[in-house]
Amino acid sequence: MFALMAEYEAALIKERTLAGLAAARARGRTGGRKPKMTPALINKAQRMYDSRQFTMAEIATSCGVTPMTIYRNIRTDRATASEPSSRG
């Protein structure tokens, strides 16, 4: 009996949470952390990477993020301008 009540209460909490998130989105609020990499920083990191004068650690330090964040945000494939890229 207690398990049934707990399951019902959990379902109510979930329903109310989803309704609250939907209401916040309708008011223009978005949840989650703000991204560290702005378009300007991504452009800077890409130019540094393309120049082949900096290590990934140096690029990350100059942008104030970790190297993994740089890898997630820039193109590291060495495709030329005439080749189609595999990333969309």
Side-chain angles (χ1 to χ4, degrees):
M1 190 65 160
F2 285 114
L4 182 64
M5 296 284 284
E7 188 175 328
Y8 177 71
E9 186 175 347
L12 278 179
I13 291 170
K14 180 180 178 182
E15 183 179 326
R16 289 180 186 145
T17 300
L18 291 176
L21 289 171
R25 270 190 229 102
R27 291 191 307 268
R29 303 282 307 208
T30 56
R33 183 178 181 170
K34 292 181 183 174
K36 284 221 170 205
M37 291 295 287
T38 63
L41 272 179
I42 293 170
N43 188 20
K44 173 186 174 184
Q46 187 69 59
R47 284 185 282 117
M48 290 176 76
Y49 180 81
D50 291 341
S51 73
R52 299 183 185 188
Q53 295 178 354
F54 303 95
T55 66
M56 198 56 74
E58 291 170 335
I59 297 170
T61 301
S62 74
C63 293
V65 295
T66 64
M68 191 64 226
T69 303
I70 299 294
Y71 278 113
R72 273 195 299 268
N73 286 282
I74 67 169
R75 300 183 77 123
T76 56
D77 56 354
R78 298 282 186 205
T80 62
S82 62
E83 293 179 22
S85 175
S86 60
R87 270 180 103 183

